[in-house]
Amino acid sequence: MTLPAPNSIAPPLELIEALARDAVLALPKPHRAAALQVALQVADFAPDYMLEAMGIESPYDLTGLYEGIPLTEKSVSDQPQQPDTVWLFRRAILEEWVERGDIGLADLVTHVVVHEFAHHFGWSDKDIATIDPCWE
C-alpha cells in the first residue's frame, strides 16, 4: 500500500480501509479466519442513529464501532439478524491522528481495528495488549 501524495488533502476512505484490512490480516492466526468473516465498513462519520444510541454528541468522538453479537454471547440456535460489522470512521480517526501527533496513521487504524474486534471476540484488556502495542 502506498501512502497518498504529499499534496493530497487527506487520506481517502480507500486508504483507511486498506490499512484496516492489513490490520485484520495481521491478527494472530487463531483469530484471523473468524475476523475475516466480519464485515468491515469505512465511512467518513458515524450515522446519527449510532451517535444517538451511544449518547455521543460529536461525530469526531467515535472512531470505530462493533455492531453485532460478540462470539462469547452467540448460540448456534440464534437466528442471524444482520452480519457482524466493524465500522471505522475516517474523519474521527484523522482528527485523533492529527491531535495526537505521536502515532502513525497505520498504527492508529490498527489500534481502532483491534479495539473493535476485541468486542467481537470478547477479549480482555490483557488480551488486547498482547496484540496491540498501542493499547493503554
Side-chain angles (χ1 to χ4, degrees), residues 15 23 35 38 40 55 86 112 115 121 126:
L15 176 62
V38 175
L40 184 62
V86 166
V112 175
H115 177 84
F121 288 115
K126 183 179 177 184

Side-chain angles (χ1 to χ4, degrees), residues 30-118:
H31 303 292
R32 191 176 314 133
L36 288 168
Q37 300 304 309
V38 175
L40 184 62
Q41 296 289 326
V42 181
D44 273 326
F45 289 109
D48 289 340
Y49 77 89
M50 285 182 188
L51 297 171
E52 290 169 9
M54 298 188 69
I56 296 174
E57 291 185 24
S58 172
Y60 288 100
D61 292 339
L62 187 60
T63 57
L65 181 74
Y66 169 69
E67 240 184 355
I69 300 170
L71 291 178
T72 55
E73 297 175 20
K74 284 188 179 186
S75 167
V76 292
S77 62
D78 287 342
Q79 292 294 320
Q81 301 296 316
Q82 64 184 16
D84 291 332
T85 304
V86 166
W87 287 89
L88 299 178
F89 305 114
R90 181 184 76 98
R91 297 282 306 274
I93 289 170
L94 294 177
E95 182 75 10
E96 181 176 334
W97 178 54
V98 169
E99 282 181 6
R100 286 180 62 158
D102 66 348
I103 187 171
L105 182 57
D107 290 337
L108 181 57
V109 170
T110 296
H111 176 71
V112 175
V113 167
V114 169
H115 177 84
E116 297 314 325
F117 273 99

